[in-house]
Amino acid sequence: MTGARLNRRDVVAELLQGRGDLIVCSGLGSPSYDVMAAGDHDRNYYLWAAMGSAVTVGLGLAMARPQDSILVVTGDGEMLMGLGALATIAVKAPKNLTIAVLDNGHYGETGMQRSHTGLGVALDQVAKGAGFAWTSRITAMAGVADLRQRLHANDSLAFASIDISQDDVPRVLPPRDAVHIKNRFRAALGYAPL
């Protein structure tokens, strides 16, 4: 990984600009802080644990809610933990699912050890090899703006790896009560609490 990197908060704010009814599922740690920093929303589903599961939760949401656009925002460390799920997602190919991986090449939640992407693994190419209809490695904000337009089109399964800086930004914590998050999210989708 070389060259200038994007600011993670700018990237997520751009993706969520004018979001409308977009459903957002965020991976644990920094991606959830980034989504929260862009503005809390009843249609945000923050994963406080379940490392590696953001994309599978996104797949379930996309299949259960084909009328909605679904965005998964996760990090490279979490994506690497759930890498096998990309094959299942590609086979199911929901056209309303977009996966945005914030890739700083490090495991930010465990001490900034270099991740596989920091050693040359290209996640967009892994997704392409699995069969995703559209993949991209985004290195400029213009690419993020294009991705925002794409995620509302619902015309193909999409995966983007977005190069972000390693800068440590202040945490903006979403609600930590998992039952509250679940019930608030269910209510926003028209379901009764469990």
Side-chain angles (χ1 to χ4, degrees), residues 83-91 124-133 135 157:
L83 206 55
L86 292 180
T88 300
I89 293 168
V91 168
D124 60 306
Q125 294 303 306
V126 174
K128 183 177 182 179
F132 275 62
T135 65
L157 174 63

Side-chain angles (χ1 to χ4, degrees), residues 40-188:
D40 193 20
H41 196 285
D42 290 350
R43 285 183 165 228
N44 288 351
Y45 193 70
Y46 308 102
L47 293 180
W48 269 109
M51 186 168 182
S53 299
V55 294
T56 53
V57 171
L59 172 62
L61 288 167
M63 293 181 68
R65 306 281 299 188
Q67 72 277 23
D68 289 315
S69 299
I70 313 295
L71 171 64
V72 172
V73 180
T74 191
D76 55 303
E78 183 183 285
M79 187 66 256
L80 286 162
M81 182 169 266
L83 206 55
L86 292 180
T88 300
I89 293 168
V91 168
K92 292 297 185 183
K95 293 182 176 181
N96 59 333
L97 177 60
T98 299
I99 298 170
V101 177
L102 304 174
D103 187 354
N104 64 5
H106 291 78
Y107 293 101
E109 298 308 307
T110 59
M112 292 301 284
Q113 301 87 357
R114 188 178 292 186
S115 77
H116 295 75
T117 63
L119 296 169
V121 172
L123 290 174
D124 60 306
Q125 294 303 306
V126 174
K128 183 177 182 179
F132 275 62
W134 183 92
T135 65
S136 181
R137 180 175 177 189
I138 295 174
T139 59
M141 287 302 289
V144 179
D146 289 344
L147 179 61
R148 179 170 55 84
Q149 297 297 321
R150 173 172 288 282
L151 71 91
H152 291 284
N154 290 347
D155 60 0
S156 70
L157 174 63
F159 181 101
S161 178
I162 304 169
D163 288 0
I164 61 164
S165 74
Q166 301 168 30
D167 295 343
D168 189 21
V169 295
R171 292 182 176 188
V172 181
L173 300 177
R176 299 187 85 164
D177 183 335
V179 174
H180 165 74
I181 293 171
K182 176 194 71 174
N183 287 335
R184 183 181 79 163
F185 184 71
R186 287 180 56 83

